[in-house]
């Protein structure tokens, strides 16, 4: 097995363990409002990342490249959609931190996009589960 393929397999295994640990520990987070999640939101294809009309919701694009989220901290309004655009040479994902952000959960990928529409005001923390130093915050008002 080539070194690159071995590293990719190792990274996927590590990601699985990190995601499992994150999900298990999420119940201990202080972000809970006391209610349990009953559904899982799956990523949906994105057709555009451009801003819509001035009266409608807007879209924000967060670049995932060079081992960072850019911008790492952003502010949007309720109803806005954030799209993370992956364009790095190594795989990444977007994983919500804490109960409030449990719906933010992208696949692990090097190229592509993942979108999430924020329907409730609050502060949503997220990270790349493969690279825990990669963190970001979306503040929704």
């Amino acid at each position: 097995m080539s070194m690159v393929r071995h590293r990719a397999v190792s990274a996927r295994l590590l990601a699985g363990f990190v995601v499992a640990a994150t999900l298990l520990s999420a119940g201990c987070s202080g972000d809970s409002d006391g209610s349990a999640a009953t559904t899982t939101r799956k990523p949906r294809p994105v057709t555009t990342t451009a801003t819509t009309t001035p009266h409608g919701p807007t879209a924000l694009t967060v670049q995932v490249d060079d081992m960072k989220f850019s911008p790492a901290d952003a502010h949007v309004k309720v109803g806005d959609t954030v799209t993370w655009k992956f364009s790095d040479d190594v795989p990444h994902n977007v994983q919500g931190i804490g109960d409030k952000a449990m719906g933010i959960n992208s696949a692990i990928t090097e190229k592509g996009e993942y979108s999430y529409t924020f329907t409730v005001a609050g502060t949503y923390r997220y990270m790349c589960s493969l690279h825990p130093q990669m963190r970001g915050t979306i503040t929704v008002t």
Side-chain angles (χ1 to χ4, degrees), residues 48-71:
T48 182
T49 58
T51 304
T52 61
T53 65
H55 303 293
T58 60
L60 168 73
T61 299
V62 175
Q63 297 294 325
V64 184
D65 190 19
D66 198 26
M67 297 294 290
K68 64 184 176 192
F69 296 111
S70 182

Side-chain angles (χ1 to χ4, degrees), residues 12 30-31 37-39 41-43 46 50 56 65-67 81 86 96 98 101 104 106 108-109 119-120 131 139:
R12 285 190 179 111
D31 290 339
T38 57
T39 61
R41 187 178 309 219
K42 295 186 180 212
V46 175
D65 190 19
D66 198 26
M67 297 294 290
T81 298
F86 300 89
I104 303 171
S106 77
I108 297 171
T109 187
T119 59
V120 178
H131 309 100
T139 302

Side-chain angles (χ1 to χ4, degrees), residues 10-129:
S10 295
R12 285 190 179 111
L13 286 172
L14 177 61
F17 287 116
V18 170
V19 170
T22 301
L23 292 174
L24 288 173
S25 67
C28 299
S29 171
D31 290 339
S32 177
D33 63 0
S35 62
T38 57
T39 61
T40 302
R41 187 178 309 219
K42 295 186 180 212
R44 57 189 168 156
V46 175
T47 56
T48 182
T49 58
T51 304
T52 61
T53 65
H55 303 293
T58 60
L60 168 73
T61 299
V62 175
Q63 297 294 325
V64 184
D65 190 19
D66 198 26
M67 297 294 290
K68 64 184 176 192
F69 296 111
S70 182
D73 300 311
H75 296 269
V76 298
K77 297 197 179 300
V78 171
D80 287 353
T81 298
V82 174
T83 298
W84 287 266
K85 184 173 182 178
F86 300 89
S87 55
D88 207 346
D89 294 331
V90 295
H92 297 289
N93 74 336
V94 179
Q95 175 69 53
I97 301 172
D99 290 348
K100 182 178 275 192
M102 287 296 289
I104 303 171
N105 188 13
S106 77
I108 297 171
T109 187
E110 290 178 20
K111 308 290 184 218
E113 296 178 345
Y114 168 75
S115 292
Y116 185 84
T117 301
F118 291 88
T119 59
V120 178
T123 301
Y124 296 81
R125 299 176 300 130
Y126 65 91
M127 64 185 269
C128 171
S129 65

